[in-house]
Amino acid sequence: MHDAIDVATLLERSRRPECGAIAVFLGTSRDHHEGRKVKRLSYEAYEPMAAAALDALERETRGRYPVVSCHIVHRLGEVPITEVSVAIAVAAEHRGPAFEACRWAMDELKRTVPIWKKEFYAEGGEGWVEGTRLGP
Amino acid sequence: MHDAIDVATLLERSRRPECGAIAVFLGTSRDHHEGRKVKRLSYEAYEPMAAAALDALERETRGRYPVVSCHIVHRLGEVPITEVSVAIAVAAEHRGPAFEACRWAMDELKRTVPIWKKEFYAEGGEGWVEGTRLGP
Amino acid sequence: MSDSSTLTVTLLLFAQARERAGRSKLDVELPRGSRLSDALAAVERLHPALAELRPHLAVAVDRRLVAGDQVLEDRVEIALLPPVSGG
Amino acid sequence: MSDSSTLTVTLLLFAQARERAGRSKLDVELPRGSRLSDALAAVERLHPALAELRPHLAVAVDRRLVAGDQVLEDRVEIALLPPVSGG
């Protein structure tokens, strides 16, 4: 989870003869947040629990929507500005469910996976991004 | 428009320091349609008008949603099963507008761009996919 | 070249329209003052199989969709556009 | 190794919790029969800066989120999880 995300491979794995649609979300490191200039971003995780939560989220997405595949990858450690921190690819017969499932998975990821983002500000200082309390 | 779509370059062009989200849609050639097995797919266009319509759609998407970039590419001629016939990438500060704009652009493309899809069936025969009448 | 009493328009046919006519392009010479509907009637006389498709077609003149029955300029390009199905 | 009258649990601290404690991991020895709340109280005695964070933390035992105040087994792994912000 500490290397750059290989988006090309993620897309290759999502191409299926029975599918007409692949919806993809890429989260990228942004140079600002709530009015402050961000010079770098870093992610920390409870790695085994995060990996299990991502696997569970892939399965739950496939169970909840009429989609054929869902692949999710999250990068950890420093993610330079413009690089991809998270990638979700959902393949389906039709585009409606692909889009819906992809968006749902991303919202859910932010709510349920033990990963934390820290920002380092251009003017100095740093802060953990305000997040969501995990619920059992 | 007749070569394989270079998705990697499309994604590269969508990475921007001020953006935290890239929503991508890939349409892929599917091996069935309305219960019939499809062995090949081919696209035809009124090329100069289609190119202008895709440019206009990119601009309109940027005007209608708070997004930074919208890139759309459509492939013509034969598109083998599992290969990408259309790609849309939308970059934005936030994921909500990126998803919404990407989906809107795809729906709009199917309604407004003079491109036609023909299916060749495994059991023999061929047919133009039922489409939408263009409106002025 | 058309003389001063006629004009020539190019018709472009796509998808089903192209297949029904068995061609993708033709030039039609019409009396000056002719309208779009005259050009469409002329192409249907040459290719009667197009008539059935007519209610489903959109028409572009010089790459712009048109709704009314405009008077034609010399040398315009008229495209017959069946229902679209890109994506 | 803990003798038969005690048990040892491992606490894992992440993000703000890790920074406030100045460490990512510690072992705590507790009397047998101790509950989760006893382990949390023990780590807060060692690292008082954690107390303020407590209402915002979720807690996992052996990588499973827990809500109640369960009795602890020997050698479980307790993770203190601040509000998450992946993506």
Side-chain angles (χ1 to χ4, degrees), chain A residues 9-32:
Chain A
T9 296
L10 196 75
L11 299 182
E12 278 310 300
R13 292 172 64 200
S14 301
R15 289 172 38 197
R16 305 277 193 111
E18 71 272 33
C19 291
I22 306 173
V24 183
F25 178 76
L26 304 176
T28 54
S29 283
R30 201 177 52 196
D31 68 5
H32 65 282

Side-chain angles (χ1 to χ4, degrees), chain A residues 1-7 10 25-29 40-47 50-51 54 71-88 106 109 113-118 128, chain B residues 12 15, chain D residues 85-87:
Chain A
M1 297 176 83
H2 292 263
D3 299 321
I5 292 176
D6 181 353
V7 176
L10 196 75
F25 178 76
L26 304 176
T28 54
S29 283
R40 71 198 175 83
L41 275 173
S42 182
Y43 290 89
E44 172 177 342
Y46 182 13
E47 290 196 37
L54 291 175
H71 298 300
I72 308 178
V73 187
H74 203 299
R75 184 173 172 182
L76 299 178
E78 183 169 342
V79 180
I81 303 298
T82 77
E83 293 195 18
V84 176
S85 55
V86 60
I88 301 182
M106 186 58 208
L109 183 152
V113 181
I115 297 179
W116 298 271
K117 171 156 67 174
K118 189 172 193 175
W128 294 95
Chain B
E12 278 309 300
R15 289 172 40 199
Chain D
S85 52

Side-chain angles (χ1 to χ4, degrees), chain D residues 20-84:
Chain D
R20 280 168 182 261
R23 63 200 298 182
S24 58
K25 187 173 177 174
L26 70 160
D27 284 349
V28 173
E29 195 174 337
L30 297 165
R32 231 166 241 287
S34 291
R35 293 180 176 271
L36 187 53
S37 56
D38 300 315
L40 299 178
V43 73
E44 281 174 15
R45 275 194 302 277
L46 286 164
H47 301 289
L50 286 175
E52 197 185 325
L53 206 55
R54 178 80 170 275
H56 307 289
L57 295 179
V59 177
V61 175
D62 287 344
R63 304 172 191 175
R64 200 177 293 268
L65 291 169
V66 296
D69 189 20
Q70 62 194 73
V71 174
L72 296 171
E73 305 285 326
D74 193 28
R75 299 287 159 194
V76 293
E77 180 179 280
I78 301 170
L80 304 193
L81 308 169
V84 299

